[in-house]
């Protein structure tokens, strides 16, 4: 992997607009669907989206990673804010 691809894989935090777009996308998924979530930036993002869907949409209990510095926390918080809005 050369330096050109390294810049592509450098992760940045999700923005409020991205969370809004993602929440709108999730709303349109039919209830009987199978959802495959993959993030090239790492597992915390895909786990945060999975857990958001499980908790908010399916009503299942999930374990929050309460570290506000963690991307997982930020994604879950922003998705919840956008879902309610």
């Amino acid at each position: 992997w050369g330096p050109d691809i390294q810049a592509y894989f450098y992760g940045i935090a999700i923005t409020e607009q991205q969370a809004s777009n993602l929440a709108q996308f999730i709303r349109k998924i039919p209830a009987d669907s199978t959802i495959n979530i993959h993030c090239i930036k790492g597992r915390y993002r895909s786990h945060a989206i999975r857990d958001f869907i499980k908790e908010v949409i399916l009503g299942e209990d999930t374990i929050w990673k309460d570290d506000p510095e963690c991307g997982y926390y930020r994604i879950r918080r922003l998705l919840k804010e956008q879902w309610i809005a």
Side-chain angles (χ1 to χ4, degrees):
W1 294 50
D4 57 330
I5 198 73
Q6 291 300 328
Y8 177 76
F9 283 102
Y10 181 73
I12 58 171
I14 189 171
T15 66
E16 289 185 29
Q17 183 59 53
Q18 289 170 327
S20 176
N21 292 346
L22 185 55
Q24 290 175 29
F25 175 80
I26 292 169
R27 284 183 198 277
K28 295 176 185 175
I29 298 172
D32 60 347
S33 297
T34 298
I35 303 169
N36 294 304
I37 302 167
H38 175 73
C39 176
I40 63 170
K41 302 290 187 184
R43 65 185 175 134
Y44 285 112
R45 291 168 177 84
S46 52
H47 285 192
I49 295 166
R50 176 204 62 198
D51 289 350
F52 168 79
I53 291 170
K54 286 174 71 174
E55 178 185 329
V56 175
I57 298 171
L58 301 178
E60 297 179 12
D61 289 331
T62 59
I63 299 171
W64 269 74
K65 293 173 177 60
D66 284 331
D67 180 1
E69 298 298 318
C70 178
Y72 177 95
Y73 177 88
R74 179 173 172 81
I75 291 168
R76 294 273 310 264
R77 182 179 55 78
L78 287 175
L79 278 173
K80 280 187 136 182
E81 288 173 5
Q82 294 302 322
W83 196 261
I84 294 168

